[in-house]
């Protein structure tokens, strides 16, 4: 009888521990998605408002999109990504959040050109398609029993290749290369959405006992998914966008 009671107690403790992990994981992932969604919303609002301002003011239009400042706007988000990645252990959780919000706002400035080039209707349509694709891929990454860790090196190599090809096409201005970059980029970031979701989920199981690290990791997880979403949106927009 005593052995049965001990075994039952162990099973009960294991069940309670598993339930606590599941509850903590759900709360953590919800926080990641909330940060990511708020970041995308902030980027969209800033992009729209800046584009409207520029459209009504020729001086602003020329300054933002036709002067050397455009390169600053294009490269500035990279600086924030580097700060978050390399300064994560030095930043507090509130500081990490502030850098993330600043990054999302700067991305809005960088992406505001989309509202100048494409119609609002096609941007909205592309956003809806991107959101549906992202949700499906992220759910797959969260629920699949398949280990996606092997995708990591392949997908990172794909991102590096996309960056090199995009920089090269600045000088070549090849429509064929641009099309290839868009197709491959869409596939790479679709894969990264599923891969990053599973990676974020697995990381929680490692750091869940460190509240400070959990708070910062949720922002970093949101950053990864944010970048996946925004890049998918941009590549889809090159196919679906209707120019003004």
């Amino acid at each position: 009888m005593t052995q049965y009671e001990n075994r039952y107690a162990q099973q009960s403790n294991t069940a309670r521990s598993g339930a606590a992990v599941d509850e903590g994981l759900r709360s953590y992932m919800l926080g990641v998605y909330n940060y990511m969604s708020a970041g995308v919303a902030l980027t969209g609002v800033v992009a729209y408002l800046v584009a409207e301002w520029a459209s009504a003011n020729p001086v602003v239009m020329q300054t933002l999109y036709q002067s050397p400042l455009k390169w600053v706007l294009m490269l500035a988000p990279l600086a924030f990504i580097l700060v978050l990645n390399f300064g994560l252990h030095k930043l507090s959780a509130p500081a990490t959040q502030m850098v993330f919000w600043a990054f999302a706002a700067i991305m809005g400035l960088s992406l505001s050109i989309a509202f100048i080039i494409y119609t609002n209707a096609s941007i909205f349509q592309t956003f809806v398609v991107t959101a549906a694709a992202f949700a499906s891929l992220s759910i797959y990454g969260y629920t699949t029993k398949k280990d996606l860790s092997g995708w990591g090196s392949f997908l990172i190599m794909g991102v590096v290749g996309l960056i090199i090809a995009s920089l090269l096409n600045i000088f070549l201005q090849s429509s064929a290369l641009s099309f290839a970059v868009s197709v491959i980029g869409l596939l790479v970031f679709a894969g990264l959405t599923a891969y990053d979701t599973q990676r974020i989920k697995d990381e929680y199981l490692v750091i869940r006992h460190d509240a400070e690290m959990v708070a910062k990791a949720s922002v970093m997880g949101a950053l990864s998914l944010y970048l996946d979403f925004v890049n998918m949106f941009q590549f889809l927009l090159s196919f679906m966008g209707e120019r003004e």
Side-chain angles (χ1 to χ4, degrees):
M1 184 69 177
T2 302
Q3 289 180 337
Y4 174 79
E5 291 176 348
N6 289 339
R7 188 180 306 154
Y8 177 78
Q10 289 175 351
Q11 291 175 344
S12 298
N13 289 335
T14 301
R16 284 194 294 271
S17 177
V21 170
D22 288 343
E23 183 178 350
L25 178 60
R26 283 194 294 270
S27 177
Y28 174 75
M29 293 302 294
L30 181 61
V32 169
Y33 287 122
N34 284 341
Y35 276 126
M36 176 258 177
S37 300
V40 169
L42 176 59
T43 296
V45 169
V46 170
Y48 177 77
L49 292 178
V50 170
E52 289 292 300
W53 179 38
S55 296
N57 192 324
V59 175
V60 175
M61 177 77 77
Q62 183 175 7
T63 301
L64 291 179
Y65 308 124
Q66 299 171 10
S67 74
L69 182 61
K70 68 179 181 180
W71 297 106
V72 176
L73 294 179
M74 289 174 61
L75 297 175
L78 179 60
F80 286 89
I81 294 174
L82 293 175
V83 168
L84 285 170
N85 276 284
F86 293 103
L88 181 63
H89 294 287
K90 297 180 181 180
L91 295 172
S92 65
T96 303
Q97 294 174 16
M98 291 302 298
V99 174
F100 175 75
W101 298 129
F103 163 77
I106 292 296
M107 278 295 290
L109 279 171
S110 182
L111 295 177
S112 61
I113 187 66
F115 285 96
I116 303 296
I117 297 174
Y118 299 103
T119 64
N120 290 349
S122 66
I123 290 174
F124 177 75
Q125 182 181 17
T126 304
F127 178 85
V128 171
V129 172
T130 305
F134 175 88
S136 300
L137 291 162
S138 193
I139 289 172
Y140 170 75
Y142 185 83
T143 58
T144 184
K145 301 299 182 183
K146 181 179 180 180
D147 183 8
L148 304 182
S149 59
W151 294 13
S153 57
F154 174 77
L155 291 169
I156 294 303
M157 287 175 59
V159 172
V160 173
L162 287 170
I163 293 173
I164 294 173
S166 298
L167 291 175
L168 182 62
N169 205 36
I170 292 176
F171 303 99
L172 297 179
Q173 294 295 307
S174 169
S175 58
L177 181 57
S178 178
F179 178 79
V181 166
S182 296
V183 172
I184 296 171
L186 184 59
L187 294 174
V188 166
F189 283 98
L192 276 170
T193 299
Y195 166 80
D196 283 334
T197 301
Q198 187 178 84
R199 176 182 58 79
I200 293 165
K201 176 184 175 183
D202 292 342
E203 283 178 353
Y204 170 78
L205 302 177
V206 177
I207 64 171
R208 66 181 186 272
H209 298 300
D210 185 339
E212 176 76 6
M213 196 61 202
V214 166
K216 292 193 287 187
S218 65
V219 177
M220 293 304 297
L223 175 64
S224 295
L225 294 180
Y226 171 98
L227 291 172
D228 295 338
F229 183 95
V230 168
N231 278 285
M232 284 179 61
F233 170 78
Q234 288 182 284
F235 288 125
L236 273 174
L237 190 60
S238 68
F239 296 117
M240 299 177 60
E242 181 180 339
R243 292 179 176 268
E244 292 279 6

